[in-house]
């Protein structure tokens, strides 16, 4: 049986947080909100506890977990050395949606690191996440709280849908703020490399460290090279049940292409949903607006894919955005979810 703890995101009940923290301390699993997406947490230093996360999600064993700590100083316990460049990123962006990768100390079990010699760490800002980690008094390993391969959950309800009766507790604090997972930067190489784009953009990173590089997989090229670098990159992600067709390119030409594709799938007898940015005249079985600006698209993206799935569409035609700023993170997730990419 899973305990559901409903809390106010800004002023969570201390009793509820203490209950969840006690479960974590005794080796159990708790799903909780962060500013990005919900995470499924367990004691990062207890390999038996961490195994429960992999089991609950159906996550491949070779995909390492992010370790969440309450305070920047806590990373000393986990990381072998902390490069100057990392200190500068932490000054600028912690606490917040930025994950940094360091060489790990022996205290981090190989289950958490999935056999790698490195550890990924972040300090979340969400009041619930921060209080929970503080109260538990241990580093918390937490991947996104979805069944492996599904879009990351951005509401408590989605977590309950995926993980009810698979975990010990779920803290439901409504909608997360950002909607896409944290930016991941590998600090073990020089120059540091952006492995997963997020709401802290490449421009943000380069304003602090001009030499940060992007990994090519981020742009959807050359998938094979990356396997050793970030195991998570090789898996299909964020994919709803329906086939996602992403339409990218010239903004002026996208609407006509979206309608043309919707019509052709419809003619094949398919139930078609479209996910578009502006309220134009479209004909489809389901129409979802993800809106404007990019922050809104990011916040709604995963929830919209899940909603369209719940409406049992067979094809989702999704409008892309420009690959700049936060758009890079949005397109990275959409392309990973894609069955087919159409450029206009
Ligand atoms: O916003 C987030 O980061 C959320 C919340 C819950 O904090 N967590 C999250 O975790 O998205 P997850 O497990 O869904 O994604 C972690 C990504 C994976 O792609 C994984 O392969 C990569 O980070 N990663 C973790 N440890 C790594 C390491 N040592 N080296 C390279 N990549 C690593
Ligand atoms: Mg994930």
């Amino acid at each position: 049986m899973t305990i559901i703890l409903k809390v106010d995101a800004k002023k969570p009940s201390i009793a509820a947080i203490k209950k969840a923290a006690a479960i974590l301390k005794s080796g159990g699993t708790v799903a909780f909100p962060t500013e990005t997406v919900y995470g499924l947490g367990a004691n990062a230093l207890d390999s038996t506890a961490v195994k429960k996360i992999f089991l609950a999600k159906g996550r491949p064993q070779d995909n390492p977990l992010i370790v969440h700590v309450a305070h920047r100083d806590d990373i000393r316990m986990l990381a072998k050395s902390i490069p100057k460049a990392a200190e500068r990123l932490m000054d600028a962006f912690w606490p917040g949606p930025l994950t940094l990768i360091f060489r790990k100390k022996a205290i981090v079990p190989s289950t958490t690191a999935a056999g790698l010699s490195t550890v990924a760490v972040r300090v979340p800002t969400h009041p619930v996440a921060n209080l929970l980690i503080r109260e538990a008094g241990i580093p918390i390993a937490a991947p996104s709280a979805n069944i492996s391969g599904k879009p990351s959950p951005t509401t408590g309800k989605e977590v309950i849908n995926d993980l009810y009766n698979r975990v010990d507790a779920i803290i439901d604090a409504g909608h997360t703020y950002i909607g896409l997972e944290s930016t991941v930067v590998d600090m073990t190489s020089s120059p540091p490399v952006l492995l997963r784009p997020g709401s802290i953009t490449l421009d943000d990173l380069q304003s602090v460290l001009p030499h940060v590089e992007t990994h090519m997989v981020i742009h959807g090229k050359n998938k094979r090279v990356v396997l050793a670098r970030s195991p998570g990159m090789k898996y299909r992600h964020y994919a709803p049940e329906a086939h996602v067709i992403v339409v990218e390119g010239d903004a002026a030409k996208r609407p006509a292409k979206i309608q043309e594709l919707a019509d052709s799938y419809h003619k094949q007898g398919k139930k078609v949903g479209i996910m578009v940015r502006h309220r134009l005249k479209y004909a489809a079985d389901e129409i979802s607006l993800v809106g404007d600006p990019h922050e809104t698209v990011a916040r709604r993206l995963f929830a919209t894919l899940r909603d369209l799935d719940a409406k049992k569409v067979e094809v989702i035609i999704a409008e892309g955005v420009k690959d700049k700023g936060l758009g890079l993170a949005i397109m990275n997730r959409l392309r990973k979810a894609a069955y087919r990419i159409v450029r206009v």
Side-chain angles (χ1 to χ4, degrees):
M1 271 290 280
T2 301
I3 303 170
I4 310 271
L5 299 161
K6 263 201 176 282
V7 304
D8 184 317
K10 293 203 183 92
K11 272 202 220 145
S13 126
I14 300 303
I17 298 290
K18 280 193 191 283
K19 203 169 195 177
I23 294 172
L24 290 171
K25 279 192 272 194
S26 66
T29 49
V30 176
F32 61 95
T34 80
E35 67 276 24
T36 57
V37 301
Y38 276 75
L40 174 59
N43 181 352
L45 306 182
D46 174 351
S47 121
T48 310
V50 167
K51 277 188 190 135
K52 294 180 188 167
I53 295 179
F54 284 89
L55 207 68
K57 283 181 55 93
R59 182 178 177 104
Q61 302 276 340
D62 64 348
N63 195 2
L65 307 180
I66 295 174
V67 180
H68 298 65
V69 292
H71 193 271
R72 172 172 170 169
D73 294 340
D74 299 338
I75 69 171
R76 284 175 209 292
M77 171 181 24
L78 310 166
K80 234 183 204 164
S81 61
I82 298 153
K84 274 256 149 54
E87 300 277 7
R88 298 186 51 204
L89 290 182
M90 291 187 262
D91 288 340
F93 304 114
W94 275 15
L98 174 67
T99 297
L100 299 176
I101 294 172
F102 300 105
R103 302 224 166 277
K104 80 172 188 71
K105 281 190 175 165
I107 193 177
V108 180
S110 97
T111 322
T112 304
L116 299 179
S117 58
T118 53
V119 62
V121 205
R122 87 176 186 95
V123 180
T125 55
H126 194 293
V128 172
N130 203 271
L131 263 179
L132 177 67
I133 301 164
R134 236 172 248 280
E135 195 59 45
I138 40 177
I140 302 297
S144 49
N146 50 284
I147 294 285
S148 205
K150 295 280 149 221
S152 296
T154 52
T155 66
K157 204 172 138 221
E158 291 164 7
V159 180
I160 294 167
N161 275 338
D162 274 21
L163 297 180
Y164 192 73
N165 278 347
R166 290 171 165 264
V167 300
D168 296 313
I170 296 171
I171 305 180
D172 179 352
H175 214 297
T176 63
Y177 307 133
I178 294 167
L180 299 179
E181 306 85 346
S182 62
T183 304
V184 179
V185 182
D186 187 350
M187 302 306 302
T188 66
S189 60
S190 189
V193 178
L194 171 63
L195 295 182
R196 180 173 72 182
S199 66
I200 291 174
T201 64
L202 181 62
D203 284 344
D204 294 337
L205 296 168
Q206 287 178 338
S207 73
V208 177
L209 297 179
H211 56 299
V212 170
E213 283 182 357
T214 57
H215 205 277
M216 42 197 162
V217 84
I218 284 168
H219 302 283
K221 294 173 206 151
N222 205 348
K223 281 200 176 134
R224 222 169 300 143
V225 189
V226 213
L227 295 193
R229 190 111 199 196
S230 187
M233 287 172 163
K234 74 182 171 206
Y235 295 107
R236 187 159 173 251
H237 269 84
Y238 319 114
E241 300 290 326
H243 280 167
V244 176
I245 318 294
V246 178
V247 177
E248 40 180 286
D250 189 341
K253 292 185 185 154
R254 286 190 308 236
K257 189 47 135 187
I258 289 165
Q259 189 60 60
E260 181 194 318
L261 286 163
D263 292 345
S264 90
Y265 281 106
H266 211 205
K267 264 189 209 132
Q268 295 170 32
K270 298 245 155 74
K271 184 167 177 185
V272 180
I274 61 176
M275 187 171 96
V276 287
R277 303 197 49 213
H278 302 107
R279 193 180 295 281
L280 299 175
K281 275 212 169 134
Y282 289 105
D285 297 298
E286 298 291 343
I287 300 170
S288 293
L289 283 180
V290 281
D292 206 23
H294 282 13
E295 281 72 16
T296 308
V297 180
R299 194 150 15 84
R300 291 184 186 162
L301 185 69
F302 290 146
T304 305
L305 290 175
R306 282 177 177 259
D307 284 348
L308 285 167
D309 249 359
K311 289 175 175 154
K312 302 270 179 243
V313 301
E314 296 163 273
V315 179
I316 297 170
I317 300 166
E319 181 173 8
V321 300
K322 256 215 189 110
D323 219 67
K324 286 259 159 62
L326 182 55
L328 182 64
I330 293 169
M331 289 314 294
N332 169 263
R333 306 309 191 274
L334 263 181
R335 287 174 188 146
K336 281 195 179 189
Y339 172 77
R340 189 179 153 200
I341 295 172
V342 176
R343 271 173 222 279
V344 290

